[in-house]
Amino acid sequence: MDKLINDFSVGLFFWQSLLFIALILLLKKFAWGPILSAVEDREEGIKDALEAAEKAKEEMQNLTADNERILAEARIERDALLKEAREIKEEIVNDAKKLASTEADKILLLAKEKINNEKMKAITELKNQVAEMSIDIAEKILKSELSDKNKQNELVAKALKINELN
Amino acid sequence: MHRFLKRDSRYNKMKVNTIIFTLVISVFFNLNIFADEHLSNSEKDIKTEIKETISHHLQDSHDFVLTHGLSFPLPVILYTDGNLDIFSSANFHHGTTPYEVDGRVYSLDHGHIIEASGLHPIDFSITKNVTFIFIVFLMMMFMFIRMAKSYKKNSLPTGMGRLLEPIVLYIRDDIAIPNIGEKHYKKYMSYLLTVFFFIWIINLFGLTPLGVNVTNNIAVTLSLALITYVLTTVTANKSYWGHIFWMPGVPTPMKLLLAPIELFGTIIKPFSLMIRLYANITAGHIVLMSILGLIFIFKGWIGSSLSFGLAFALSLLELLVAALQAYIFTMLSALYFGSAVEEHDDH
């Protein structure tokens, strides 16, 4: 201990303290400050870049998921549309068929009616003509019959006989 | 990637080879220190001589001796009785002659400067250690300012920064943040980084054959520990002082008893920092030098090569200790800072 105190050099202590403190201050300003901030900036940069990459990856995943979802939705929609179209088509065809058959029925009915009418008309006409012809014939017969007095009497008698019977 | 790794491993292998080579050279040249002395005083007892060499080696000196006959004088700055005397240490002729300035006669006695008439000069000389502190100062300025500049061009470090950045990040992520906390660590970073690299580099210098030992001077470690202490004390929050003077959660008589103990503890902490660094480096040097000294005691080739091998192994260990002590000093400083800014949610 005595030797330690004896050997203690004030000069060395002075120079060491002076140079060392100067070294700390100079290096702080010109070396440690810039070095540490550069390193920190770099680390920050790396961290940011990693985060950005992670984010991009996530976004990409989201995007892919979205795409798939949209695709699936589109497929479903397409299927629905196709189904609907098929249904509509069938409906239209069915409707058309139904419409066509009712129309045909109507036309047929009309035609039948018309035919019936024509038939009736023809029958009536025929009846009339037959009646006319009958009257004509009857007239002619009557004329020939009534030309003879006997025959007239006979006829009257006959007619009377019929009435009597009734 | 594979090719890069392969190149890297080859590079690492090369680096390891370089380190081993440097160490062998270093151990070999450390013998110089003995050889010089050995030649000059061959009549002395060899054991005393080794002891003297070691204690001389551990001391600071006013000139920088590279090897025998090749030395550089350093400026001597003395503050004596209100006078500032500045002259070259060459005037002492390695301590053999006194030197007179304005009637004050200075001479060198076992590395200390004494004044003939009994005045007590305060020695502010640029000694060998101060020179190396200055060299490390310049080295660190150069290294780290260059590193800082390399970030301006590129967000990745280039050149030396590639080696230094992992260490800087290690100090931030594994020393500062876990011990001080995310919130407060930033204001201590400059000190922690500076102290780590300073101790490490200057310890490594101690392992070179240049024969410098800066961190085995109590003045240097005291200066470092004092800065830790001042920083802790100045930045400490209310809760830190509360836990020292009025420990919460204990009965009042205990509070009175604990206050002086806790207060003493705040001084013990940096004191242990100071002693730890000083003692570790000093012990390392003494052991290494002693094993090298064995070479001169054994003289035979078996003992000599054995102690050479041992010294080599120990140099490897000292290489680890150099970094380890820097790490421990930084780590404990961070721990003390952490306790100073810790926010206790009440017990």
Side-chain angles (χ1 to χ4, degrees):
Chain A
M1 196 70 198
D2 271 353
K3 191 174 174 293
L4 265 187
I5 293 164
N6 244 5
D7 278 354
F8 186 85
S9 162
V10 178
L12 190 57
F13 178 77
F14 167 77
W15 286 113
Q16 162 69 21
S17 305
L18 183 79
L19 287 172
F20 191 73
I21 290 170
L23 188 64
I24 296 173
L25 296 177
L26 284 170
L27 284 182
K28 184 178 180 166
K29 183 150 176 22
F30 296 110
W32 305 131
I35 288 170
L36 289 173
S37 68
V39 168
E40 258 160 40
D41 284 352
R42 196 183 62 201
E43 281 167 351
E44 204 67 28
I46 291 170
K47 212 174 108 195
D48 285 353
L50 280 175
E51 263 167 21
E54 196 65 29
K55 223 175 180 176
K57 207 171 121 193
E58 216 166 85
E59 258 167 35
M60 197 72 177
Q61 265 171 355
N62 283 348
L63 217 63
T64 323
D66 264 9
N67 278 349
E68 263 164 27
R69 193 176 48 79
I70 289 167
L71 212 67
E73 272 172 13
R75 207 171 284 135
I76 290 168
E77 206 168 331
R78 188 199 63 183
D79 287 351
L81 278 175
L82 276 177
K83 204 174 150 197
E84 208 177 329
R86 209 173 289 130
E87 274 167 9
I88 290 170
K89 187 195 81 179
E90 266 165 26
E91 205 177 314
I92 288 171
V93 170
N94 283 345
D95 278 2
K97 271 184 186 163
K98 217 185 268 170
L99 205 71
S101 77
T102 34
E103 201 73 4
D105 284 353
K106 226 179 186 173
I107 290 168
L108 218 64
L109 209 71
L110 228 72
K112 268 184 189 162
E113 212 169 298
K114 220 171 180 180
I115 288 169
N116 229 11
N117 286 350
E118 288 298 314
K119 200 175 91 186
M120 287 314 242
K121 230 162 128 185
I123 287 173
T124 320
E125 211 169 304
L126 205 66
K127 267 184 184 166
N128 289 345
Q129 259 176 356
V130 169
E132 256 173 54
M133 273 162 81
S134 307
I135 292 169
D136 276 353
I137 292 168
E139 204 178 50
K140 271 174 191 160
I141 291 171
L142 275 178
K143 262 179 191 167
S144 64
E145 288 275 319
L146 290 177
S147 53
D148 177 357
K149 215 131 173 182
N150 289 341
K151 276 191 183 177
Q152 278 179 12
N153 289 337
E154 205 175 316
L155 197 65
V156 172
K158 253 186 202 172
L160 282 172
K161 213 179 179 178
I162 290 165
N163 283 341
E164 245 171 63
L165 281 171
N166 283 345
Chain B
M1 189 67 198
H2 182 69
R3 245 180 58 203
F4 176 73
L5 280 175
K6 214 167 144 192
R7 207 194 64 188
D8 213 43
S9 82
R10 217 175 59 203
Y11 176 66
N12 279 338
K13 211 169 150 192
M14 221 166 74
K15 230 163 41 180
V16 170
N17 283 339
T18 319
I19 290 170
I20 291 174
F21 179 73
T22 319
L23 270 179
V24 170
I25 295 286
S26 157
V27 172
F28 191 71
F29 275 95
N30 271 331
L31 290 172
N32 248 347
I33 298 161
F34 285 99
D36 293 339
E37 299 270 327
H38 189 58
L39 285 172
S40 52
N41 326 300
S42 51
E43 74 281 351
K44 266 196 197 163
D45 175 31
I46 197 145
K47 279 184 189 169
T48 356
E49 197 184 309
I50 288 169
K51 224 188 254 170
E52 273 174 14
T53 311
I54 293 172
S55 76
H56 175 76
H57 169 76
L58 293 175
Q59 260 180 2
D60 202 357
S61 71
H62 285 83
D63 48 6
F64 177 39
V65 184
L66 205 56
T67 173
H68 191 66
L70 183 61
S71 70
F72 304 98
L74 296 165
V76 174
I77 304 165
L78 297 170
Y79 186 76
T80 321
D81 218 14
N83 300 296
L84 198 64
D85 296 329
I86 303 171
F87 54 93
S88 165
S89 72
N91 293 314
F92 288 130
H93 299 102
H94 303 298
T96 50
T97 54
Y99 181 69
E100 191 187 329
V101 190
D102 294 338
R104 291 179 290 278
V105 183
Y106 298 111
S107 59
L108 209 54
D109 172 46
H110 290 97
H112 289 288
I113 291 175
I114 48 170
E115 212 274 329
S117 60
L119 292 169
H120 290 287
I122 303 172
D123 191 354
F124 286 108
S125 302
I126 307 295
T127 59
K128 191 171 72 177
N129 285 338
V130 176
T131 312
F132 272 89
I133 292 167
F134 195 66
I135 288 171
V136 172
F137 175 91
L138 292 179
M139 262 180 74
M140 282 179 71
M141 290 287 283
F142 173 75
M143 271 159 59
F144 292 108
I145 290 174
R146 226 170 92 122
M147 182 183 169
K149 273 185 186 150
S150 82
Y151 282 105
K152 277 189 188 142
K153 283 170 271 168
N154 198 333
S155 67
L156 288 174
T158 51
M160 203 142 45
R162 282 171 68 179
L163 179 75
L164 296 173
E165 197 199 271
I167 304 173
V168 172
L169 289 183
Y170 179 79
I171 292 170
R172 190 193 64 176
D173 297 338
D174 290 283
I175 296 179
I177 294 177
N179 286 312
I180 305 172
E182 197 82 55
K183 205 169 145 194
H184 298 288
Y185 82 94
K186 273 187 181 152
K187 62 182 167 194
Y188 300 109
M189 275 311 282
S190 298
Y191 174 66
L192 293 175
L193 287 166
T194 314
V195 88
F196 177 83
F197 284 106
F198 181 83
I199 296 176
W200 191 28
I201 294 169
I202 214 135
N203 281 349
L204 287 178
F205 262 119
L207 292 175
T208 61
L210 296 168
V212 281
N213 309 283
V214 180
T215 36
N216 71 1
N217 281 279
I218 202 84
V220 173
T221 58
L222 173 70
S223 164
L224 292 171
L226 207 60
I227 296 172
T228 296
Y229 176 70
V230 169
L231 273 177
T232 313
T233 311
V234 167
T235 57
N237 60 15
K238 236 189 213 159
S239 151
Y240 173 76
W241 294 118
H243 277 73
I244 288 169
F245 291 118
W246 210 243
M247 181 67 82
V250 295
T252 312
M254 273 305 274
K255 282 181 182 176
L256 291 170
L257 192 68
L258 276 174
I261 296 173
E262 286 287 331
L263 193 62
F264 193 58
T266 62
I267 300 159
I268 286 290
K269 282 175 187 172
F271 188 78
S272 75
L273 275 184
M274 168 182 90
I275 295 294
R276 185 179 298 107
L277 181 58
Y278 161 80
N280 269 288
I281 302 303
T282 309
H285 276 269
I286 289 173
V287 172
L288 198 58
M289 295 290 287
S290 305
I291 288 169
L292 283 176
L294 285 180
I295 293 174
F296 297 97
I297 292 174
F298 285 135
K299 286 205 171 97
W301 66 271
I302 299 176
S304 297
S305 49
L306 213 77
S307 37
F308 189 88
L310 207 59
F312 175 70
L314 214 71
S315 291
L316 277 176
L317 187 72
E318 282 301 304
L319 208 60
L320 178 74
V321 168
L324 195 69
Q325 287 307 317
Y327 168 76
I328 290 172
F329 197 99
T330 315
M331 180 77 177
L332 289 174
S333 294
L335 201 68
Y336 301 155
F337 296 151
S339 74
V341 293
E342 197 181 358
E343 276 152 28
H344 298 272
D345 10 302
D346 263 306
H347 302 272

